[in-house]
Amino acid sequence: MKRIVITGVTSGIGKALMEYFLEHGEEVIGIARDSKKLESLRVELLEDHDKERVHLYKADFAKMREVKETLAAIEKTFPEGLDALINNAAVFPHKKRMTEDGFETQFQVNHLVPALISLELFQLLKKRQGRIITTSSELHKKAKFDLDDLQALKRYHPLRSYARTKLYNLLFTIALNDRYAERVGLKAFAVHPGKVKTRIGEKGKRRSYKAVWRWFTKKALPPHRVVFTYGFLVYEKDPKTIIPYFHKAQPLRYSDIALNRDNVNALFDETASLLKIDPNEKLT
Ligand SMILES: NC(=O)c1ccc[n+]([C@@H]2O[C@H](COP(=O)([O-])OP(=O)(O)OC[C@H]3O[C@@H](n4cnc5c(N)ncnc54)[C@H](OP(=O)(O)O)[C@@H]3O)[C@@H](O)[C@H]2O)c1
């Protein structure tokens, strides 16, 4: 039985992922931000699955303190190790908002916290030669890389900020592979799930954005139809790692910006510095 951490399990792709891996007999540790939704999810999941395999934790990624507390609890409860971490939670707010930690919300929720979780759970994943899978998007190809404006605050636009965080998901994945795939056997992948019928574009207040999202996803696939790619990346013994970006269980070409190792290294170093983590100390 594999032990898998999944973030953003209260809706959309994350919920479908939690159900998929429970149906495959795995033990799943789900994380999400909303206590009420987590409680109703618990009730729903326990109708079909043993309580020993269902673990749910609350952490609002816009609050670093909460995330760190949850990670400490997970590290204490599962010292034997983890087989996979799926960084899936993300947000698309319709206007600029800063978190209590002083970061632009999407930068923190979609990139900084997944990076923190990957680094904090690194030792547990290393114990089982685990995998870190992060949900990125083809939208990353629209993003620029500007180290002087990493949070995309200049001429702010929510979609530009979202696209950049999806680029960072990919850059961080490549950096993890460069540094740790051969050395400790830990592999990292990013996934483009395709166009999926979820409510991510409707959770802000702007009516126009909501309408565009509904139109955009009118013919999109339901979440349970896209989770097999994650299944492939968890179960396949030797998936190709030269291109660690997958769609429909196949490697997919990514943007030239992500091919540039200067960008990959700069993003990794700046992220570690913002998180006040020394990778040489933490990830040996
Ligand atoms: N849908 C698509 O077409 C599409 C395409 C490409 C990539 N993606 C990516 O797929 C992933 C999943 O998105 P989705 O479409 O399934 O959207 P979704 O249904 O909105 O799911 C997002 C999950 O993240 C959680 N979340 C949001 N803000 C959070 C926070 N501050 N702290 C902790 N958890 C938080 C949500 O919680 P709540 O339930 O409380 O909102 C939800 O569980 C994202 O990484 C997204 O960027 C989606």
Side-chain angles (χ1 to χ4, degrees):
M1 184 167 65
K2 291 193 186 291
R3 183 180 289 141
I4 303 168
V5 174
I6 305 172
T7 69
V9 290
T10 44
S11 51
I13 299 167
K15 183 165 185 259
L17 281 169
M18 182 138 195
E19 289 163 353
Y20 174 88
F21 285 110
L22 285 171
E23 276 154 23
H24 279 73
E26 315 302 0
E27 182 179 11
V28 183
I29 301 161
I31 308 177
R33 64 177 164 180
D34 186 308
S35 306
K36 276 192 187 154
K37 284 190 190 175
L38 277 166
E39 208 31 59
S40 53
L41 179 65
R42 184 189 307 280
V43 172
E44 192 183 325
L45 294 175
L46 292 185
E47 280 176 17
D48 298 319
H49 307 287
D50 315 331
K51 67 175 188 317
E52 289 72 27
R53 294 193 295 116
V54 178
H55 310 278
L56 291 169
Y57 287 86
K58 179 193 179 315
D60 182 345
F61 288 10
K63 297 174 180 169
M64 283 291 187
R65 182 189 41 80
E66 245 183 55
V67 175
K68 287 179 184 167
E69 281 169 12
T70 295
L71 290 174
I74 292 173
E75 284 174 77
K76 201 170 158 204
T77 314
F78 305 97
E80 314 86 9
L82 300 167
D83 297 284
L85 160 66
I86 303 182
N87 285 312
N88 166 78
V91 71
F92 174 62
H94 293 176
K95 60 179 188 178
K96 181 165 140 191
R97 279 206 319 254
M98 304 302 282
T99 68
E100 63 182 29
D101 304 290
F103 298 107
E104 190 275 331
T105 300
Q106 297 195 73
F107 180 74
Q108 176 164 331
V109 172
N110 302 1
H111 165 61
L112 214 46
V113 168
L116 172 70
I117 298 176
S118 304
L119 300 179
E120 284 296 331
L121 297 184
F122 182 87
Q123 294 300 338
L124 291 184
L125 287 157
K126 192 176 132 184
K127 281 189 180 174
R128 296 193 177 184
Q129 298 219 317
R131 292 179 178 180
I132 298 177
I133 303 164
T134 303
T135 308
S136 177
S137 165
E138 274 293 86
L139 212 56
H140 85 270
K141 290 179 176 163
K142 301 268 181 230
K144 288 192 180 141
F145 186 72
D146 179 358
L147 201 54
D148 295 328
D149 184 27
L150 215 49
Q151 300 188 48
L153 293 172
K154 281 185 207 155
R155 293 184 297 112
Y156 184 84
H157 189 285
L159 198 55
R160 186 159 45 226
S161 170
Y162 178 81
R164 287 213 195 172
T165 62
K166 295 290 119 182
L167 172 67
Y168 301 160
N169 292 155
L170 194 51
L171 293 171
F172 201 77
T173 296
I174 297 166
L176 286 174
N177 269 328
D178 282 356
R179 287 169 165 76
Y180 308 108
E182 271 187 29
R183 188 135 64 89
V184 300
L186 184 146
K187 292 192 173 97
F189 302 98
V191 170
H192 167 54
K195 203 190 278 185
V196 190
K197 203 159 184 58
T198 70
R199 297 196 55 240
I200 190 167
E202 293 177 53
K203 293 180 178 175
K205 288 207 169 99
R206 277 201 199 171
R207 279 204 206 146
S208 56
Y209 282 20
K210 290 184 195 216
V212 169
W213 178 252
R214 277 190 216 114
W215 168 81
F216 180 71
T217 53
K218 212 169 180 180
K219 292 189 178 154
L221 289 174
H224 71 270
R225 294 272 305 278
V226 304
V227 294
F228 67 95
T229 299
Y230 300 81
F232 172 81
L233 294 172
V234 167
Y235 295 120
E236 178 69 26
K237 275 209 172 69
D238 190 19
K240 293 185 185 76
T241 52
I242 300 165
I243 302 180
Y245 177 50
F246 278 71
H247 174 57
K248 293 187 179 171
Q250 297 290 328
L252 188 65
R253 194 187 148 78
Y254 46 79
S255 74
D256 289 348
I257 292 178
L259 278 169
N260 182 330
R261 283 308 194 265
D262 289 344
N263 296 338
V264 169
N265 292 329
L267 191 267
F268 185 87
D269 292 344
E270 185 59 21
T271 300
S273 157
L274 289 172
L275 291 171
K276 300 188 176 65
I277 288 178
D278 177 355
N280 296 326
E281 201 178 281
K282 190 110 192 157
L283 312 180
T284 46

